[in-house]
Amino acid sequence: MNQTKIQELRQWMSEQQSDLAYISDPGHIAYFSGYSSDPHERVLALFVPLNKDPFLFTPALEVEDAQNSGWAFDVVGYLDSEDPWKKIAHEITTRYGNPQKISLEKNALTVDRFEKLREYFSADFSTDVTPVIQRLQLIKTKNEINTLLEAGNWADVAFEIGFGAVKEGAKEQEIVAEIEYQLKRRGVSSMSFDTLVLTGDNAASPHGNPGSTAVQAHDLVLFDLGVIWKGYCSDATRTVAFKEPTAFQKEIYQLVLDAQLAATAAVKPGITAGELDAVARKVIEDAGYGEYFNHRLGHGIGTTVHEYPSLVEGNDLVIEEGMCFSLEPGIYIPNKVGVRIEDCVYVTKDGCQPFTTTSKELTIIE
Ligand code: MN
Ligand code: MN
């Protein structure tokens, strides 16, 4: 549970004269409460009033897990046979009276859920709590960084397993299966996104789908993966060669590596997110491959795999100590080659440190 951040949320609520915040995004609920869960179609919610104790609202089958997660306040469960909205309305009125201004997460609440809420409350729902949560999440605490380091360590373990599974004829999906199987056997309960293993032409698509393409000699193999560990995500990419790569593959690889290292060296408090993107992009543009680096340099990471800051052209957000984000330049030339190298880092007082330590020099698997 993150008491400090709950207090900071309340500070904002007080400025907005909002008497209740309804947090609905599971990643944001995990951020404040420490309870991480995917509720699927069921209702999972965190209600934070201005002056009284907050409570978690979960499916009945999750109450015990939520209570054991380190959350210090009440957990209210509902059965599948109950109407969750009726129960939520009852809990809110009993605990907090009749709130006049309820802040919502406008990009995480469906219209039908909003309408249910409106059936029970005639409050002012105009304030959006999403931007303030995004701002709070920008700067990570020491504890959060330690957990992100542990999550990053699991990504390093995943690379080791994945590299070990690369052999002539191995299909992308088989390598994915091996990585996830081995991690789960070792106690990782979930990946932070579907593991990507792409080879041959497939690697030239930044977010391709692993399938039945088999690894062949002189192919590059791209691994993009991460886990969720104690509610925090890792996300890292390595591209390796199977058997001696061609001179062209080596050239492209070196260029992406130079861009990644230049961006890493440029990270320090005071530089802007857009300037970091430009540092990496310049390396690739100067070599004539600018059009093939067709996505932003990076994104923030925390309880969700993509959060703020966005390292994108034109973003003048100033980088501060404690921010955590990916640095992931890539070059994707259709039907020819695909290389991406990604580390997530945390900003220190004069630079940055990575969450993943797997070598970024071109690894050649024999
Ligand atoms: Mn990634
Ligand atoms: Mn990423």
Side-chain angles (χ1 to χ4, degrees):
M1 189 175 67
N2 202 330
Q3 289 265 31
T4 317
K5 296 296 177 180
I6 293 176
Q7 265 324 107
E8 289 177 34
L9 172 67
R10 285 183 163 137
Q11 176 62 39
W12 171 85
M13 288 167 63
S14 146
E15 289 159 13
Q16 300 293 320
Q17 297 173 317
S18 168
D19 37 12
L20 182 66
Y22 167 22
I23 315 296
S24 48
D25 176 289
H28 292 165
I29 292 170
Y31 177 69
F32 289 112
S33 70
Y35 177 58
S36 181
S37 156
D38 177 356
H40 302 289
E41 78 286 6
R42 294 186 173 104
V43 180
L44 177 70
L46 171 62
F47 293 97
V48 180
L50 192 53
N51 296 315
K52 293 188 172 160
D53 286 347
F55 72 95
L56 263 176
F57 187 81
T58 75
L61 70 175
E62 294 187 27
V63 169
E64 207 176 326
D65 286 345
Q67 283 167 340
N68 293 333
S69 69
W71 173 246
F73 300 102
D74 288 353
V75 179
V76 178
Y78 78 97
L79 296 164
D80 287 339
S81 53
E82 291 180 295
D83 175 351
W85 302 99
K86 196 172 166 188
K87 195 149 183 178
I88 283 172
H90 173 77
E91 288 295 328
I92 290 177
T93 342
T94 310
R95 288 161 190 265
Y96 315 133
N98 191 15
Q100 298 301 303
K101 194 166 181 182
I102 303 179
S103 301
L104 304 172
E105 280 199 271
K106 291 193 181 178
N107 76 351
L109 190 65
T110 59
V111 174
D112 72 315
R113 289 184 173 188
F114 175 55
E115 286 176 345
K116 292 280 187 200
L117 207 59
R118 252 191 349 194
E119 278 176 29
Y120 291 97
F121 296 98
S122 55
D124 171 353
F125 291 108
S126 61
T127 44
D128 185 2
V129 71
T130 300
V132 68
I133 297 175
Q134 288 166 341
R135 278 201 303 282
L136 292 178
Q137 289 186 317
L138 267 174
I139 309 290
K140 266 69 180 180
T141 62
K142 273 213 168 61
N143 276 340
E144 290 184 286
I145 288 171
N146 284 336
T147 311
L148 286 161
L149 278 163
E150 290 175 22
N153 197 36
W154 280 114
D156 286 323
V157 171
F159 284 134
E160 201 183 320
I161 297 164
F163 298 171
V166 170
K167 56 177 197 268
E168 184 86 42
K171 291 175 183 160
E172 293 165 336
Q173 278 289 25
E174 290 170 351
I175 302 173
V176 168
E178 185 64 20
I179 292 169
E180 297 192 355
Y181 170 74
Q182 291 293 346
L183 285 183
K184 288 186 180 186
R185 287 197 58 148
R186 297 179 201 191
V188 170
S189 59
S190 53
M191 308 304 290
S192 52
F193 53 92
D194 288 342
T195 302
L196 287 185
V197 175
L198 301 167
T199 190
D201 292 350
N202 273 358
S205 164
H207 276 175
N209 283 316
S212 56
T213 306
V215 175
Q216 291 174 357
H218 318 297
D219 271 347
L220 296 181
V221 188
L222 185 153
F223 294 81
D224 188 353
L225 48 81
V227 308
I228 304 177
W229 182 252
K230 298 178 188 167
Y232 283 77
C233 299
S234 50
D235 177 15
T237 306
R238 290 294 184 273
T239 307
V240 300
F242 178 56
K243 311 281 187 197
E244 188 60 25
T246 64
F248 180 63
Q249 288 169 333
K250 281 188 193 172
E251 179 197 333
I252 296 299
Y253 188 91
Q254 191 58 44
L255 205 49
V256 175
L257 180 57
D258 289 346
Q260 210 277 340
L261 294 176
T264 306
V267 175
K268 61 171 190 287
I271 196 167
T272 70
E275 284 165 352
L276 283 177
D277 180 90
V279 166
R281 201 163 300 279
K282 183 171 188 319
V283 174
I284 292 173
E285 275 173 356
D286 285 354
Y289 292 101
E291 65 181 295
Y292 302 111
F293 176 16
N294 55 9
H295 55 72
R296 63 182 173 180
L297 175 64
H299 54 80
I301 190 159
T303 54
T304 48
V305 74
H306 283 184
E307 51 189 63
Y308 284 108
S310 179
L311 272 56
V312 67
E313 185 186 351
N315 185 356
D316 52 14
L317 178 114
V318 176
I319 300 303
E320 292 175 49
E321 185 176 357
M323 287 184 182
C324 299
F325 46 79
S326 72
L327 300 167
E328 50 176 310
I331 294 179
Y332 318 93
I333 307 177
N335 304 316
K336 270 194 170 162
V337 69
V339 174
R340 179 167 63 255
I341 304 171
E342 171 181 29
D343 270 336
C344 287
V345 303
Y346 62 97
V347 182
T348 60
K349 67 178 191 307
D350 52 8
C352 70
Q353 289 292 324
F355 294 122
T356 29
T357 57
T358 298
S359 170
K360 290 186 282 198
E361 292 301 321
L362 180 54
T363 299
I364 301 171
I365 296 171
E366 292 296 342

